[in-house]
Amino acid sequence: VVAGRAIVNGQAVDLADAVLPVTDAGVARGDGAFETVGVWSGRPFRLGDHLERLACSLRAVGLPEPALDVLAAEAARLCDDLGRVDAALRLYVTASGTRVLTLTDPPVRKEPRNLVVQVAPWVVPVGVSPLAGAKTMSYLPNMAATRLAQAAGADDALLVNTDGIVLESPTGCVLWVDDGTVHAVDVDLGIVDSISRRTLLDLAGAEGLAVRVGAWPVAAVERAAEVWVCSSLRPLVTVRRIGDVVLPADTPLGDRMGAALDRLRRAA
Ligand SMILES: Cc1ncc(COP(=O)(O)O)c(C=O)c1O
């Protein structure tokens, strides 16, 4: 268990004391960007990739480049003397120039085993919105997508674009196995450039599995042998159902890749 800690504009505080004024653009307008980093066995996994993606998100919404070296040093400070526990590290940079880092226990959430198909609210019909793929602090559409899916009796949404092309889940990447090949969605479709997705594709290559990146309709995922959801705070989760379509219970590749991912995340 991690006692909540935070650093607000360089100041170390207890999590309970990490407060922002209501006039901060992050609070008033959700104007800012954030990252959620998995801390596995005491170590932030691929922190450099997360910092780069934070810079990309801020650029996408016209905000200035963040001081990545400062954020890296603050992240290291926050995880110092943590011991080999799992935790969630979050970094926020708001349009007011506010920098917040928090370290908490990983959230307890329903695993996304049963998904329902939903059009992603942030993908416009023609082309791709310039905000697509940016982890802006206005995450309400993502949170609402999960709530709608749960109201429909599922655990989460399988988000598609208006052409029915599979994208991602509201807080995770989606990959699947068809004919022994690992399939992943092209980031050019406007999905978050997920670090878990990148890592799983690297691992699949290292394990000698064939990998394809592209664009596929829901039907292609429904007939897959295995469907996986993953994100920085989650292990690889194997999906059981998409709408009324029940997926095979046996997930040998997901089990193998999930174990490999866990080993890599926890490697000292
Ligand atoms: C919309 C969306 N897709 C995918 C992901 C997974 O990204 P990562 O693996 O870098 O955590 C996230 C993470 O929060 C997300 O919000």
Side-chain angles (χ1 to χ4, degrees):
V1 174
V2 180
R5 331 171 170 182
I7 298 181
V8 181
N9 289 328
Q11 197 89 46
V13 290
D14 284 342
L15 187 65
D17 297 323
V19 291
L20 295 185
V22 290
T23 48
D24 190 281
V27 180
R29 297 212 165 97
D31 195 359
F34 77 104
E35 277 300 314
T36 303
V37 184
V39 177
W40 300 92
S41 301
R43 205 175 55 104
F45 184 68
R46 289 202 174 195
L47 178 63
D49 287 4
H50 282 278
L51 290 172
E52 263 173 42
R53 191 172 63 185
L54 180 64
C56 285
S57 292
L58 290 165
R59 214 173 295 136
V61 298
L63 287 173
E65 289 290 314
L68 295 185
D69 48 343
V70 174
L71 287 164
E74 289 177 348
R77 222 168 107 204
L78 208 52
C79 295
D80 194 30
D81 73 25
L82 191 57
R84 293 187 65 80
V85 300
D86 295 347
L89 168 66
R90 291 191 172 84
L91 300 90
Y92 304 85
V93 174
T94 81
S96 300
T98 303
R99 236 169 37 245
V100 180
L101 290 85
T102 64
L103 190 71
T104 61
D105 284 318
V108 181
R109 287 189 300 206
K110 224 173 171 186
E111 289 193 330
R113 301 278 179 191
N114 303 321
L115 307 182
V116 280
V117 176
Q118 227 181 77
V119 175
W122 49 87
V123 175
V124 293
V126 188
V128 170
S129 156
L131 300 191
K135 288 178 68 79
T136 72
M137 282 176 64
S138 317
Y139 242 51
L140 185 145
N142 305 57
M143 302 296 105
T146 296
R147 282 192 289 271
L148 282 172
Q150 291 181 350
D155 302 323
D156 215 334
L158 175 62
L159 297 171
V160 300
N161 70 12
T162 49
D163 295 326
I165 301 297
V166 171
L167 299 175
E168 57 191 331
S169 96
T171 55
C173 60
V174 175
L175 294 92
W176 62 96
V177 182
D178 194 12
D179 210 12
T181 298
V182 177
H183 289 64
V185 177
D186 194 333
V187 286
D188 288 346
L189 287 168
I191 60 167
V192 165
D193 186 0
S194 156
I195 286 148
S196 313
R197 171 187 170 285
R198 278 185 229 167
T199 308
L200 285 168
L201 289 178
D202 291 351
L203 283 173
E207 299 256 331
L209 299 170
V211 166
R212 284 183 72 192
V213 173
W216 289 274
V218 173
V221 183
E222 288 176 342
R223 65 168 178 263
E226 301 184 26
V227 180
W228 310 336
V229 175
C230 197
S231 64
S232 292
L233 296 185
R234 268 195 199 104
L236 183 155
V237 174
T238 53
V239 174
R240 295 206 188 96
R241 199 151 61 78
I242 299 171
D244 295 331
V245 176
V246 177
L247 295 162
D250 255 12
T251 54
L253 280 185
D255 298 348
R256 194 168 119 205
M257 295 290 291
L261 176 66
D262 192 59
R263 271 197 305 277
L264 184 62
R265 282 171 163 175
R266 294 178 189 285

